[in-house]
Amino acid sequence: MVESDVPGSELEVRNLFVSRGGRPVLRDISISVPPGEITALLGANGAGKSTLVLTMAGILPAAGGRVSCDGAELLGQPPDAVRRRGVALVLEGHPVLVGLSVRDNLAAAALMHPRLEADREIERALEIFPELRARLSTPAQLLSGGQKQMVVIAQAMVSRPRYLLIDELSFGLAPSIVSRLAETIQVIASCGVGILLIEQFTTLALSLTKRAYVMERGAVAYAGSSAELRDHPEILHGAYLASGQADAAVVGP
């Protein structure tokens, strides 16, 4: 993990527009993720949350706007360059590299480093998830869902990120595993890493964060404190109601 020491540093998105298939998907998005904090990104399915983090990570192109990490422009850079700049993405659904062992999954993520440095970063990742040590020779596709999520977070941490984008931390996982992962990302943030968390369980997300954004139909419908959303659930409810998903607005594992 790398703690940013740049004054006023943050991961910034400003006036971002994204189109897919000729159709506008994101409209004038502006958010910021400070170092050392977890920031929630909430909204109904189809609101544009995953599109936003995929664009921030360099996987999807933007039609306009800016994405910067501690002042360095990221927009237009390929994913490897974005990762080297300090922004790592944990994709939804905990996808591992099929056919490779857990050890090789981590080694693949460490190819950006010289050999000795790579070994050191893999060891640091295993300190975060000691459960994986006994599974290092296991084909990653044979792991449980929770173990796979540990692997993909460990892969991201191997790159020594300053900012971590996590798309659906709890997706398909048992409550006990979700609690374990929630504790882990709190520890990661306490070491200076800024985290943008997309989470289906809004009560969990709001309990972990100080600041939250709510997206609705490709735009930011709310930007403010997580405490305000906890105290005024009708704000969040309205965003889900507009998408026909009101029943999912405030739930937890």
Side-chain angles (χ1 to χ4, degrees), residues 15 18 21 25 55 67 78 100 167 172 204 252:
N15 309 116
V18 175
V25 178
T55 305
V67 178
L100 296 182
D167 194 352
L204 172 65

Side-chain angles (χ1 to χ4, degrees), residues 53-190:
V53 294
L54 289 170
T55 305
M56 294 169 71
I59 296 172
L60 294 178
R66 296 186 66 244
V67 178
S68 62
C69 174
D70 297 342
E73 181 60 47
L74 301 181
L75 210 57
Q77 299 292 319
D80 285 351
V82 172
R83 197 177 179 97
R84 289 180 183 277
R85 286 285 192 180
V87 179
L89 172 64
V90 176
L91 287 166
E92 179 183 0
H94 33 268
V96 295
L97 299 175
V98 175
L100 296 182
S101 67
V102 170
R103 186 191 306 277
D104 288 342
N105 265 259
L106 298 179
L111 289 174
M112 62 187 295
H113 301 303
R115 177 60 185 275
L116 290 178
E117 191 174 338
D119 291 343
R120 184 166 60 247
E121 295 305 326
I122 290 172
E123 179 59 30
R124 287 177 177 172
L126 291 172
E127 289 173 1
I128 298 173
F129 294 115
E131 301 95 322
L132 296 179
R133 291 189 187 278
R135 300 285 188 172
L136 286 175
S137 61
T138 302
Q141 71 269 21
L142 299 182
L143 298 177
S144 68
Q147 290 168 337
K148 288 178 181 177
Q149 186 70 307
M150 292 179 187
V151 170
V152 295
I153 294 175
Q155 286 178 310
M157 295 310 299
V158 162
S159 68
R160 210 166 52 229
R162 294 198 294 276
Y163 300 94
L164 197 58
L165 314 175
I166 302 179
D167 194 352
E168 297 293 4
L169 178 73
S170 68
F171 182 79
L173 303 180
S176 60
I177 298 298
V178 174
S179 295
R180 165 76 172 92
L181 294 173
E183 291 173 0
T184 299
I185 66 170
Q186 287 177 299
V187 171
I188 291 171
S190 73

